[in-house]
Amino acid sequence: MTRVGDSLVFICQKLNNIPAGLMCVILFLVQAGTLNYYLVYNLSDVHLCWLVSDAVNLAVLVASIIYSSYTLSQQRNSENFRATFHSISWVSWLLINVSVSVKVILVLENDAIELEGAATFFGPNTFKTTVAMGSCIFLFLLNTQHDAPVGSDRRTYIDALTNTVVFDILDTVDILEVCLSEGERDSLWGGLKKMILAQASLNLLLPTVPLLTLSRTQFGRDKLTRPMIYLHRLLVVLVFNVPNLITRLILWHGLSVGFSPFALKNVVLIGMTLLEFYEHKLQKYRE
């Protein structure tokens, strides 16, 4: 078994993140194609123009993966190698999710989807799964951008900036569910629905921040100071978890929408972040 495991590790090392890159591209194509289906099939053939945007996004995504693979290969061969350009993974994520956000808004604002109860494969569940694919795309994209060993300081630094992104994207999908249930959707006033869509769009774009930060710091080769890491976490709490929690409380208490377990996730992350700030300030005070 040990030899088999060693052989698998050797093969994976030689592949140099190719499987992760392929999965990232495949999931992007599935996500983009499915959202295009909702728009073209249920609205208009005019939305075929999204293929142009998707082609650009695909090109940037592939370029990001290839450039990262080249950079990592050079860094393995020379410890003193410094990349000429920073990673463009954040550009790829930003472009992809600008498109995803606009498509989601178009689908939900124009009712380009069969609501709960309709006997169709391309219903709400497929739609939610498609948007949630962003969490997998993020993970695979992130893994193509670095080779930090598990347990290393670099890996700890990367995890500190990105370990909530997957759950944040799933949280976003969960909060969109109110727009996919006919009874609950009809109870929303216009401003609240627009607020939910704007909030979801911002949430999908927010992972650009940690990717940009990691890009500027060479994915842990240069590091932010600890206060800056705390500031980053505070940004995530203020921009993501606090608004999501407030929206859920409005839906729960004001409109009697079913309670979501993700509300507890929002509370826990807010509490953990505030506790970390307190411990940091306490340590500085004692010094």
Side-chain angles (χ1 to χ4, degrees):
M1 289 298 293
T2 302
R3 290 183 178 179
V4 173
D6 292 343
S7 299
L8 290 175
V9 170
F10 176 78
I11 293 172
C12 290
Q13 185 178 13
K14 289 298 182 182
L15 288 174
N16 194 24
N17 284 335
I18 291 177
L22 284 175
M23 285 301 301
C24 187
V25 170
I26 290 171
L27 288 173
F28 162 73
L29 291 174
V30 172
Q31 184 186 58
T34 305
L35 290 175
N36 289 344
Y37 173 86
Y38 284 107
L39 293 171
V40 174
Y41 183 79
N42 294 319
L43 292 181
S44 168
D45 291 343
V46 172
H47 290 286
L48 285 171
C49 64
W50 280 106
L51 293 175
V52 177
S53 171
D54 294 336
V56 173
N57 293 343
L58 177 62
V60 176
L61 176 62
V62 172
S64 169
I65 294 171
I66 292 175
Y67 177 69
S68 174
S69 178
Y70 165 77
T71 302
L72 292 176
S73 177
Q74 293 298 314
Q75 287 172 345
R76 292 190 192 100
N77 296 330
S78 174
E79 293 183 0
N80 297 323
F81 175 81
R82 300 290 292 182
T84 306
F85 301 101
H86 293 293
S87 165
I88 59 171
S89 57
W90 67 273
V91 178
S92 177
W93 179 265
L94 179 62
L95 292 176
I96 289 172
N97 283 279
V98 166
S99 296
V100 170
S101 298
V102 175
K103 290 177 183 179
V104 167
I105 291 173
L106 288 173
V107 168
L108 295 179
E109 282 286 274
N110 294 283
D111 300 329
I113 186 172
E114 296 289 340
L115 297 180
E116 297 283 2
T120 175
F121 177 79
F122 289 97
N125 289 331
T126 299
F127 179 77
K128 289 183 289 185
T129 302
T130 301
V131 179
M133 280 183 188
S135 60
C136 300
I137 293 173
F138 180 86
L139 278 180
F140 285 120
L141 178 60
L142 179 64
N143 279 302
T144 64
Q145 302 299 306
H146 72 88
D147 58 355
V150 175
S152 65
D153 290 341
R154 283 183 60 209
R155 188 60 170 265
T156 301
Y157 169 76
I158 293 170
D159 290 343
L161 294 179
T162 62
N163 57 8
T164 65
V165 170
V166 170
F167 301 104
D168 290 342
I169 294 174
L170 297 178
D171 189 355
T172 299
V173 175
D174 181 77
I175 210 166
L176 284 173
E177 188 168 3
V178 69
C179 300
L180 298 170
S181 175
E182 189 168 6
E184 294 177 349
R185 189 185 66 174
D186 293 341
S187 67
L188 300 177
W189 61 84
L192 181 58
K193 182 178 180 181
K194 287 180 171 56
M195 184 183 76
I196 291 173
L197 293 177
Q199 189 175 322
S201 299
L202 179 61
N203 292 346
L204 291 174
L205 297 176
L206 191 59
T208 304
V209 176
L211 285 176
L212 176 59
T213 303
L214 289 171
S215 172
R216 300 294 297 179
T217 57
Q218 298 284 331
F219 284 83
R221 295 182 184 275
D222 304 320
K223 294 182 181 179
L224 290 175
T225 60
R226 186 165 294 276
M228 289 301 294
I229 294 177
Y230 289 145
L231 183 62
H232 176 275
R233 292 181 180 177
L234 181 62
L235 172 66
V236 172
V237 167
L238 292 178
V239 176
F240 188 96
N241 287 287
V242 171
N244 275 21
L245 179 60
I246 292 173
T247 301
R248 285 197 167 93
L249 291 176
I250 292 173
L251 293 173
W252 184 25
H253 289 285
L255 302 175
S256 299
V257 173
F259 177 78
S260 170
F262 277 98
L264 298 178
K265 170 256 184 186
N266 299 141
V267 172
V268 169
L269 284 181
I270 292 170
M272 288 175 60
T273 303
L274 293 177
L275 179 61
E276 286 180 351
F277 266 92
Y278 165 75
E279 291 177 343
H280 173 68
K281 289 297 182 182
L282 181 62
Q283 183 179 2
K284 296 288 287 185
Y285 173 76
R286 288 175 175 174
E287 292 175 355

